[in-house]
Short mmCIF file of all heavy atoms in Angstrom, two decimals:
data_model
loop_
_atom_site.label_atom_id
_atom_site.label_comp_id
_atom_site.label_asym_id
_atom_site.label_seq_id
_atom_site.Cartn_x
_atom_site.Cartn_y
_atom_site.Cartn_z
N ASN O 1075 26.43 147.95 230.26
CA ASN O 1075 27.33 146.83 230.53
C ASN O 1075 27.17 146.31 231.95
O ASN O 1075 27.31 145.09 232.20
CB ASN O 1075 28.78 147.26 230.29
CG ASN O 1075 29.08 147.49 228.82
OD1 ASN O 1075 28.37 146.99 227.94
ND2 ASN O 1075 30.12 148.26 228.53
N TYR O 1076 26.90 147.22 232.88
CA TYR O 1076 26.65 146.78 234.26
C TYR O 1076 25.41 145.89 234.31
O TYR O 1076 25.42 144.82 234.94
CB TYR O 1076 26.46 147.99 235.16
CG TYR O 1076 25.97 147.62 236.54
CD1 TYR O 1076 26.84 147.05 237.48
CD2 TYR O 1076 24.64 147.83 236.91
CE1 TYR O 1076 26.38 146.69 238.75
CE2 TYR O 1076 24.19 147.48 238.17
CZ TYR O 1076 25.06 146.91 239.09
OH TYR O 1076 24.61 146.55 240.34
N LEU O 1077 24.34 146.31 233.65
CA LEU O 1077 23.13 145.49 233.62
C LEU O 1077 23.41 144.13 232.99
O LEU O 1077 22.95 143.09 233.48
CB LEU O 1077 22.02 146.21 232.86
CG LEU O 1077 21.41 147.43 233.54
CD1 LEU O 1077 20.38 148.09 232.62
CD2 LEU O 1077 20.75 147.05 234.86
N LEU O 1078 24.19 144.12 231.91
CA LEU O 1078 24.53 142.86 231.25
C LEU O 1078 25.30 141.94 232.18
O LEU O 1078 25.12 140.72 232.16
CB LEU O 1078 25.33 143.16 229.99
CG LEU O 1078 25.71 141.95 229.11
CD1 LEU O 1078 24.47 141.16 228.71
CD2 LEU O 1078 26.46 142.42 227.88
N SER O 1079 26.12 142.51 233.04
CA SER O 1079 26.92 141.70 233.97
C SER O 1079 26.05 141.00 235.02
O SER O 1079 26.51 140.08 235.69
CB SER O 1079 27.96 142.58 234.68
OG SER O 1079 27.36 143.40 235.68
N LEU O 1080 24.81 141.44 235.15
CA LEU O 1080 23.91 140.86 236.15
C LEU O 1080 23.12 139.67 235.62
O LEU O 1080 22.33 139.08 236.35
CB LEU O 1080 22.92 141.93 236.65
CG LEU O 1080 23.53 143.18 237.27
CD1 LEU O 1080 22.43 144.14 237.71
CD2 LEU O 1080 24.44 142.84 238.44
N GLN O 1081 23.35 139.31 234.36
CA GLN O 1081 22.61 138.19 233.78
C GLN O 1081 22.89 136.91 234.56
O GLN O 1081 24.04 136.59 234.88
CB GLN O 1081 23.02 138.00 232.31
CG GLN O 1081 22.12 137.04 231.55
CD GLN O 1081 22.43 137.01 230.06
OE1 GLN O 1081 23.57 137.15 229.66
NE2 GLN O 1081 21.40 136.85 229.25
N GLN O 1082 21.84 136.17 234.86
CA GLN O 1082 21.93 134.96 235.65
C GLN O 1082 22.25 133.76 234.78
O GLN O 1082 22.16 133.83 233.56
CB GLN O 1082 20.62 134.77 236.42
CG GLN O 1082 20.33 135.92 237.38
CD GLN O 1082 18.91 135.94 237.90
OE1 GLN O 1082 17.98 135.40 237.30
NE2 GLN O 1082 18.72 136.56 239.06
N PRO O 1083 22.64 132.63 235.38
CA PRO O 1083 23.00 131.45 234.57
C PRO O 1083 21.90 130.98 233.63
O PRO O 1083 22.20 130.41 232.57
CB PRO O 1083 23.30 130.40 235.65
CG PRO O 1083 23.77 131.19 236.82
CD PRO O 1083 22.93 132.44 236.81
N ASP O 1084 20.64 131.21 234.00
CA ASP O 1084 19.54 130.79 233.12
C ASP O 1084 19.17 131.86 232.10
O ASP O 1084 18.17 131.74 231.39
CB ASP O 1084 18.32 130.38 233.93
CG ASP O 1084 17.72 131.54 234.73
OD1 ASP O 1084 18.28 132.66 234.68
OD2 ASP O 1084 16.69 131.33 235.39
N PHE O 1085 19.95 132.96 232.06
CA PHE O 1085 19.81 134.07 231.12
C PHE O 1085 18.78 135.12 231.55
O PHE O 1085 18.58 136.10 230.83
CB PHE O 1085 19.48 133.60 229.70
CG PHE O 1085 20.48 132.63 229.13
CD1 PHE O 1085 20.05 131.55 228.37
CD2 PHE O 1085 21.83 132.79 229.35
CE1 PHE O 1085 20.97 130.65 227.83
CE2 PHE O 1085 22.76 131.90 228.82
CZ PHE O 1085 22.33 130.82 228.07
N ASN O 1086 18.15 134.95 232.69
CA ASN O 1086 17.24 135.99 233.16
C ASN O 1086 18.01 137.06 233.93
O ASN O 1086 19.23 136.94 234.12
CB ASN O 1086 16.15 135.39 234.05
CG ASN O 1086 14.93 136.29 234.17
OD1 ASN O 1086 14.61 137.05 233.25
ND2 ASN O 1086 14.24 136.23 235.29
#
Side-chain angles (χ1 to χ4, degrees):
N1075 290 339
Y1076 170 76
L1077 290 177
L1078 184 55
S1079 75
L1080 302 180
Q1081 191 172 35
Q1082 299 167 336
D1084 64 358
F1085 304 140
N1086 200 30

